[in-house]
Amino acid sequence: MALDDAVRPRFLIHHGPAVNAVTHETLMMYRVDHWVLKRSDRWPLGYYETLAQAQLAAESALGTPMFLAPVTDPLGRIVTPEEQRERWTAGLDPRTGAPRAR
């Protein structure tokens, strides 16, 4: 499990079978899930071939907000979760698109 600074679980890493959607080949991979107590409500961050890749993905996602819902920018335009994610990764404020204060 990857933990944030409040020492609460944020991700669950487990090793198990994963089926390739294109080739239908079954591979053993590391799956990183967003942690919630109810198992059916967890959603995957991704699948990785090595434990080191899975840990790095979980650690990289610790400081990133979820961006699950659209927001309205100061001009009244709707900003989709995808746009918010793109702005965040570019170092911009997800709502306004202005540079984030560091």
Side-chain angles (χ1 to χ4, degrees):
M1 266 191 219
L3 303 174
D4 66 4
D5 24 345
V7 190
R8 64 183 173 113
R10 294 284 304 272
F11 299 97
L12 175 67
I13 300 173
H14 53 96
H15 190 251
V19 178
N20 185 318
V22 176
T23 64
H24 303 290
E25 179 182 21
T26 302
L27 304 169
M28 295 299 287
M29 299 189 80
Y30 289 92
R31 177 179 166 155
V32 180
D33 284 335
H34 291 270
W35 169 259
V36 291
L37 188 57
K38 190 174 177 185
R39 185 179 192 148
S40 62
D41 291 342
R42 296 178 191 163
W43 68 98
L45 175 69
Y47 294 87
Y48 304 92
E49 291 188 16
T50 66
L51 180 58
Q53 290 173 337
Q55 289 174 331
L56 181 62
E59 290 168 2
S60 299
L62 278 179
T64 305
M66 294 294 172
F67 303 120
L68 299 176
V71 295
T72 306
D73 71 4
L75 301 174
R77 190 177 73 85
I78 300 295
V79 182
T80 66
E82 293 78 25
E83 289 176 298
Q84 294 174 55
R85 264 186 230 99
E86 289 172 7
R87 289 177 178 181
W88 181 268
T89 55
L92 304 174
D93 180 88
R95 183 180 295 263
T96 64
R100 282 196 315 253
R102 301 252 176 207

